[in-house]
Amino acid sequence: MDYSAQIQEAQKKFGEVLTEQLKRVEKMKAEKDFIDYKSLDKIVIGVVGGDGIGPAITAQAERILKYLLKDEMARGKVEFKEITGCTIEHRAEVGKALPDDVTEELKQCHVILKGPTTTPRQGDPWPNIESANVAMRKELDLFANVRPVRVPEEGIDWTFYRENTEGGYAVGSKGINVTDDLAIDFVVQTHEGTERIARAAFEYAKKAGKTRVTCVTKANVIKTTDGNFLSVCKEVAKDYPDIELDDWYIDIMTAKLVDPKRRTQFQVLVLPNLYGDILTDEAAEFQGGVGTAGSANIGKRYAMFEAIHGSAPRMVQEGRDIYADPCSIIRASVMLLEHIGYADKAKALEEALDICMYKEKKLTITGRDTGATSAEFADYVMSKL
Ligand code: IPM
Ligand code: MG
């Protein structure tokens, strides 16, 4: 068989991927430092409801944020901006993961609170466009996906720093079907990309008084990209002599998270995109599932805070969206407040949420009319502030 035409076509596509990624490297090199929210006259918080149960739960988190920030809003220091176009219907209609009008509106904000958005896959009624999450992370260069998991009574206190713009996700929708039998996807790792996530993890560890950062890869097998990820982490670690860096492989790490003796030793974990995606779902399960966890996507100019669960379209079809659990998006709101410099309000909200979810538990959310509505739960949280 002569495959030269197919190989040439694939090489052309590969060349395009390389050009695009090298441009990205140049952009990272030219990047400015983190934005300073204190120096801003006004902080604009964008609110993206998303799909399915998204608008219902996001509205409740927004209500709580507005309650906590009412003085700042009155003074003009904080402004909310609703962004309504990030729905699967609109994305499908324009055939883009992030419609241009949505991108433009996002860029008028400093931080974004985001509900879940539907990610189409092969066989869905929707066109198989890229995930809106992934597109937003790339478009706004939100390179650090920060996911805390805490179960105090079991000694679990983990903060995951998942690299958010590279790995298998960087060009996840641009793999190549070379022939009917051969398909190739790409995994991207850059020096700049790894350095900034490693530094973010170590800086956090230093500020939070942590003593260990754990790098998770599969560098024994994926020798180039994971190998480089690990060696850049080791380089960065030299700037933090008081913090120990240890290195684990993803397979044994998924096992050790289940080991009650070992797991309490992990503190801050830094890892490539896909391992971070998988491990943070496992980790959140100890805390009560992904529905209980918040997620911050942080870049130097923008940051986005989201619920980490899906959009649950069936709940909407069955008219149950008013009973959807707002805990994950409220956790995300805690991280948002902390990020823009309102640490006291963040702490107050976190404590109120802990009382409602774990300590007092006067209301329960069951996802149907046997439990509280999202609005009732939000009222309950606000009554504890
Ligand atoms: C997450 C989600 C996303 C991801 C999906 C929805 C694309 O699983 O935020 O962890 O894989 O990053
Ligand atoms: Mg995930």
Side-chain angles (χ1 to χ4, degrees):
M1 269 302 262
D2 177 12
Y3 292 113
S4 49
Q6 286 97 326
I7 292 174
Q8 219 171 29
E9 180 59 28
Q11 279 173 334
K12 188 173 148 254
K13 288 188 189 154
F14 183 42
E16 285 162 12
V17 167
L18 296 182
T19 307
E20 177 194 291
Q21 291 304 310
L22 287 167
K23 255 193 219 143
R24 202 172 64 81
V25 170
E26 292 305 321
K27 239 166 102 183
M28 277 189 279
K29 284 187 172 158
E31 200 168 69
K32 297 203 190 74
D33 205 2
F34 282 97
I35 190 168
D36 172 16
Y37 296 97
K38 288 212 180 68
S39 71
L40 297 174
D41 293 336
K42 184 163 73 185
I43 303 172
V44 181
I45 303 176
V47 180
V48 175
D51 300 312
I53 57 170
I57 57 172
T58 309
Q60 297 311 321
E62 183 180 356
R63 206 154 63 81
I64 296 175
L65 281 176
K66 284 184 168 163
Y67 175 71
L68 279 166
L69 293 167
K70 55 180 178 303
D71 293 345
E72 287 73 12
M73 288 170 71
R75 270 195 281 120
K77 170 75 189 177
V78 168
E79 184 188 301
F80 282 80
K81 177 176 168 60
E82 311 294 327
I83 301 173
T84 53
C86 198
T87 60
I88 184 64
E89 290 81 9
H90 185 41
R91 288 183 284 134
E93 180 196 319
V94 298
K96 278 189 102 166
L98 266 190
D100 295 340
D101 52 316
V102 173
T103 306
E104 202 179 301
E105 286 184 278
L106 289 171
K107 288 190 173 169
Q108 290 162 16
C109 306
H110 297 98
V111 291
I112 293 135
L113 182 70
K114 180 186 154 296
T117 44
T118 300
T119 300
R121 57 178 175 185
Q122 270 183 16
D124 276 359
W126 308 109
N128 196 10
I129 45 177
E130 189 181 43
S131 134
N133 298 44
V134 175
M136 206 181 284
R137 292 167 186 167
K138 286 199 272 190
E139 183 66 41
L140 305 180
D141 204 16
L142 309 174
F143 63 87
N145 187 191
V146 184
R147 294 183 162 179
V149 171
R150 313 220 191 291
V151 189
E153 61 280 13
E154 287 179 31
I156 293 176
D157 185 355
W158 301 321
T159 307
F160 292 88
Y161 273 74
R162 165 191 178 190
E163 201 295 317
N164 215 17
T165 49
E166 303 196 337
Y169 283 65
V171 280
S173 53
K174 291 188 187 157
I176 302 173
N177 286 303
V178 183
T179 68
D180 287 344
D181 302 310
L182 174 66
I184 301 272
D185 264 313
F186 302 107
V187 176
V188 176
Q189 183 273 338
T190 68
H191 191 277
E192 286 68 25
T194 305
E195 190 182 336
R196 62 187 188 175
I197 187 69
R199 214 164 272 291
F202 273 96
E203 278 298 313
Y204 166 75
K206 192 169 134 182
K207 264 192 219 117
K210 308 281 181 188
T211 52
R212 175 186 292 191
V213 172
T214 302
C215 176
V216 185
T217 66
K218 187 74 187 177
N220 52 340
V221 176
I222 317 292
K223 293 190 189 289
T224 310
T225 48
D226 278 5
N228 290 355
F229 190 95
L230 177 57
S231 55
V232 173
C233 284
K234 285 181 180 166
E235 245 173 67
V236 170
K238 290 185 191 146
D239 293 341
Y240 301 85
D242 298 335
I243 300 166
E244 181 194 346
L245 173 75
D246 58 356
D247 121 54
W248 286 74
Y249 295 134
I250 180 66
D251 49 351
I252 191 65
M253 181 51 93
T254 60
K256 287 304 157 195
L257 280 198
V258 197
D259 177 346
K261 286 194 295 294
R262 287 316 280 272
R263 68 179 175 214
T264 54
Q265 297 166 9
F266 302 120
Q267 302 178 13
V268 180
L269 299 96
V270 62
L271 62 183
N273 211 335
L274 183 58
Y275 308 142
D277 177 45
I278 297 166
L279 206 65
T280 54
D281 270 17
E282 185 195 1
E285 197 65 24
F286 295 106
Q287 177 184 277
V290 289
T292 61
S295 168
N297 298 267
I298 295 173
K300 295 197 172 168
R301 168 65 179 81
Y302 301 101
M304 181 263 279
F305 301 82
E306 62 182 339
I308 88 169
H309 53 76
S311 58
R314 218 177 58 204
M315 284 190 78
V316 183
Q317 282 153 25
E318 293 171 4
R320 292 189 285 120
D321 47 338
I322 57 164
Y323 298 105
D325 189 343
C327 289
S328 178
I329 191 99
I330 300 175
R331 285 261 173 242
S333 310
V334 171
M335 300 179 86
L336 184 152
L337 286 168
E338 164 96 45
H339 185 73
I340 59 175
Y342 297 110
D344 293 350
K345 295 181 200 288
K347 190 145 186 18
L349 180 56
E350 183 168 39
E351 279 168 10
L353 194 55
D354 283 345
I355 293 172
C356 300
M357 283 173 76
Y358 303 120
K359 293 180 190 146
E360 192 181 81
K361 294 197 269 192
K362 231 166 51 197
L363 292 182
T364 40
I365 301 258
T366 61
R368 34 189 90 242
D369 61 9
T370 52
T373 64
S374 333
E376 284 161 354
F377 195 84
D379 285 336
Y380 179 31
V381 172
M382 286 192 278
S383 77
K384 301 292 171 190
L385 283 168

